[in-house]
Amino acid sequence: LILGTQTPQVDNNVPKGTILQQDPAAGESLQEGQAVNVTVSNGKEQTTVPDLVDMKNKADADLALRDKQLLLGKVTVQDSEKAEGTVLEQSVPANSQVDIGTRVDIIISSGKIPVLSVTGQSKTQAKNDLINAEARRPIEANDVWVSAKSGAGLDDLTTRVLNAAGWGGGEG
């Protein structure tokens, strides 16, 4: 006997490469040299992972995953210059082939920019460092802690640093 046609079939419960069916069935008689045709498991059904990076929010990412029969996994928040909720990273690369039902973790933006430490620097150096960091978005007042070691009052130094970075409303 010889192995005949091998027909692939998706089967979520049987490992890839396992014979699901044969024709003729076991116990039947064939002449020498005739073929036994088989159906072979292709394993779980596969789907393509969508590109989630730069999607505007978690809900959009979840919808894109559901459309591909995938699940949203762990969502981690990370500081970033991108708008709050924007997807920064995904755990499974876009366009990868994965089993249906696979979980994809994402990292989304907090919308907050990490603040550089300017403690102990001169006002000029603090101004230059903040400007060079291209920090363009407003931050919470509680996010900035500046130590006034140059003789200027804390309020004056804080105002100057924030104005120099484009975050204040006064003169720089």
Side-chain angles (χ1 to χ4, degrees):
L1 299 178
I2 63 169
L3 183 59
T5 305
Q6 300 172 45
T7 306
Q9 179 178 314
V10 171
D11 191 308
N12 292 331
N13 300 314
V14 178
K16 185 175 183 173
T18 303
I19 304 297
L20 298 171
Q21 298 174 21
Q22 69 180 53
D23 182 36
E28 291 187 27
S29 297
L30 291 178
Q31 293 181 3
E32 188 175 329
Q34 284 190 304
V36 176
N37 298 319
V38 296
T39 303
V40 183
S41 174
N42 257 358
K44 291 187 176 185
E45 188 173 352
Q46 300 265 296
T47 188
T48 304
V49 177
D51 187 358
L52 306 175
V53 175
D54 290 330
M55 286 193 169
K56 300 297 180 197
N57 55 52
K58 179 178 86 169
D60 287 351
D62 187 37
L63 183 61
L65 290 169
R66 287 176 189 243
D67 284 347
K68 294 291 190 169
Q69 296 180 292
L70 298 171
L71 302 172
L72 180 61
K74 181 179 175 186
V75 177
T76 305
V77 178
Q78 176 179 305
D79 289 344
S80 166
E81 294 178 2
K82 295 199 176 192
E84 182 178 0
T86 302
V87 179
L88 303 173
E89 296 178 31
Q90 63 189 76
S91 63
V92 182
N95 301 314
S96 297
Q97 290 294 309
V98 297
D99 292 343
I100 284 182
T102 297
R103 291 188 177 276
V104 178
D105 300 337
I106 60 172
I107 298 174
I108 61 172
S109 174
S110 68
K112 295 181 182 179
I113 300 170
V115 178
L116 295 176
S117 173
V118 293
T119 302
Q121 294 181 356
S122 69
K123 290 185 270 185
T124 302
Q125 185 63 48
K127 174 182 175 181
N128 289 337
D129 286 353
L130 290 169
I131 289 171
N132 288 336
E134 298 180 350
R136 297 182 183 105
R137 294 169 51 114
I139 58 172
E140 300 293 325
N142 294 346
D143 290 344
V144 178
W145 293 90
V146 179
S147 181
K149 294 184 180 181
S150 65
L154 178 60
D155 291 343
D156 180 52
L157 180 56
T158 301
T159 300
R160 287 175 189 235
V161 169
L162 292 175
N163 286 341
W167 294 327
E171 297 175 19

